[in-house]
Amino acid sequence: MSAGDAPVRVPDRITNAHGERLAFDFVPGAATRRDLVVLGHGLTSDKDRPWSEGLSLALAAEGIASVRIAFSGNGASEGAFTDSSISKEVEDLGSVLEAFSGWRTSYVGHSMGGAVGLLRAVHDERIQNLVSLAAVTHAAGFVRRMFSHLEIGEPLLDKPGCPLGRTLWDDLVGWGSLVGRASEVSVPWLVVHGTADDVVPAFHSKDLARAAPDTCELSLLEGVDHSFTGDGVARMVERVV
């Protein structure tokens, strides 16, 4: 076994730049491999979802380790949900990559977590492969379409613990569209989207693929919704693995 294949460290604790502890679940792969896939969730979500748990298990079966993270303010992670934003979660992801220094790292992000991965990957060479699942691409259009009927402080998606915050609204509007950043992604990039997604329509991913034809491969899953429910998980997992 060469030094480059020696086992690498799994951290006991991850904290972000604000000192907030980030909850995570590590699923080991082959003992002699240092390939790691970081899985990031979407808005109002958490690290434990059928799509992410299914993907972790499938990666482990191939000898690839994975870590499912909860961004700050979500799930069991510290921080306030009202401080959640794409910008803050890009920072959170950087803290995760730092904690897993020494691994060959890929990132898979779902929905808003997909936007986070794109923005991190354009300037962080530690992400060597990128996967975007039903990623929010037109951020300003997304927040206005989904939440313009809400007042600040009202729950998002009928989740009382996830109130709409001014930080989230302003950050999404401020990012506008991420299509212009797509051409800056230089690593192999898979974009997966269900054609029946009524939360983030599939044209978000189609626009990414058109903007980055040299690095981005688009995979549309016919009849699959935003959360990859039913057989959508198995179809997505097969494509990503």
Side-chain angles (χ1 to χ4, degrees), residues 49-58 133 192 221 224-241:
R49 289 293 183 268
W51 76 264
S52 57
E53 292 178 331
L55 185 52
S56 280
L57 290 174
L133 305 176
V192 182
L221 302 181
V224 171
D225 66 8
H226 186 64
S227 299
F228 301 97
T229 53
D231 70 346
V233 169
R235 292 168 64 187
M236 176 276 291
V237 165
E238 181 181 17
R239 183 69 190 88
V240 173
V241 173

Side-chain angles (χ1 to χ4, degrees), residues 7 10 34 37 45 48 50 59 76 102 118 126 131-132 137 156-157 160:
V10 177
R34 58 187 182 95
V37 180
S45 192
D48 302 318
L59 289 166
L118 189 166
R126 292 173 296 187
V131 178
S132 304
T137 301
L156 298 173
L157 305 175

Side-chain angles (χ1 to χ4, degrees), residues 126-174:
R126 292 173 296 187
I127 296 179
Q128 298 184 20
N129 298 280
L130 179 64
V131 178
S132 304
L133 305 176
V136 172
T137 301
H138 301 288
F142 166 78
V143 71
R144 287 170 174 148
R145 180 176 63 87
M146 292 292 294
F147 306 128
S148 61
H149 63 289
L150 297 177
E151 299 291 335
I152 297 298
E154 291 188 314
L156 298 173
L157 305 175
D158 298 321
K159 297 181 180 180
C162 301
L164 175 62
R166 176 58 63 186
T167 297
L168 175 66
W169 180 278
D170 289 348
D171 192 69
L172 284 163
V173 171

Side-chain angles (χ1 to χ4, degrees), residues 2-226:
S2 67
D5 292 327
V8 283
R9 188 179 68 88
V10 177
D12 297 322
R13 180 182 178 91
I14 303 175
T15 56
N16 65 11
H18 304 275
E20 297 161 340
R21 182 185 58 82
L22 302 180
F24 67 95
D25 283 332
F26 176 79
V27 179
T32 57
R33 291 185 65 167
R34 58 187 182 95
D35 299 288
L36 176 74
V37 180
V38 180
L39 279 63
H41 61 78
L43 182 63
T44 76
S45 192
D46 196 1
K47 61 182 175 58
D48 302 318
R49 289 293 183 268
W51 76 264
S52 57
E53 292 178 331
L55 185 52
S56 280
L57 290 174
L59 289 166
E62 296 295 323
I64 301 171
S66 64
V67 57
R68 303 192 305 274
I69 63 172
F71 291 113
S72 54
N74 291 266
S77 289
E78 294 177 348
F81 180 82
T82 49
D83 294 330
S84 297
S85 68
I86 290 177
S87 296
K88 188 181 183 189
E89 292 181 3
V90 170
E91 294 179 353
D92 285 351
L93 180 53
S95 298
V96 173
L97 297 174
E98 181 63 29
F100 282 91
S101 178
W103 293 81
R104 288 189 294 255
T105 309
S106 302
Y107 176 77
V108 179
H110 177 246
S111 196
M112 196 168 92
V116 170
L118 189 166
L119 292 169
R120 190 81 216 180
V122 300
H123 70 271
D124 195 326
E125 294 181 350
R126 292 173 296 187
I127 296 179
Q128 298 184 20
N129 298 280
L130 179 64
V131 178
S132 304
L133 305 176
V136 172
T137 301
H138 301 288
F142 166 78
V143 71
R144 287 170 174 148
R145 180 176 63 87
M146 292 292 294
F147 306 128
S148 61
H149 63 289
L150 297 177
E151 299 291 335
I152 297 298
E154 291 188 314
L156 298 173
L157 305 175
D158 298 321
K159 297 181 180 180
C162 301
L164 175 62
R166 176 58 63 186
T167 297
L168 175 66
W169 180 278
D170 289 348
D171 192 69
L172 284 163
V173 171
W175 279 111
S177 174
L178 306 183
V179 170
R181 306 301 300 275
S183 63
E184 300 176 49
V185 175
S186 59
V187 297
W189 183 14
L190 175 65
V191 175
V192 182
H193 215 123
T195 62
D197 190 335
D198 60 358
V199 177
V200 180
F203 75 82
H204 284 239
S205 288
K206 293 177 181 177
D207 288 349
L208 288 178
R210 278 193 290 267
D214 295 333
T215 57
C216 181
E217 178 182 352
L218 176 64
S219 180
L220 296 176
L221 302 181
E222 189 65 32
V224 171
D225 66 8
H226 186 64

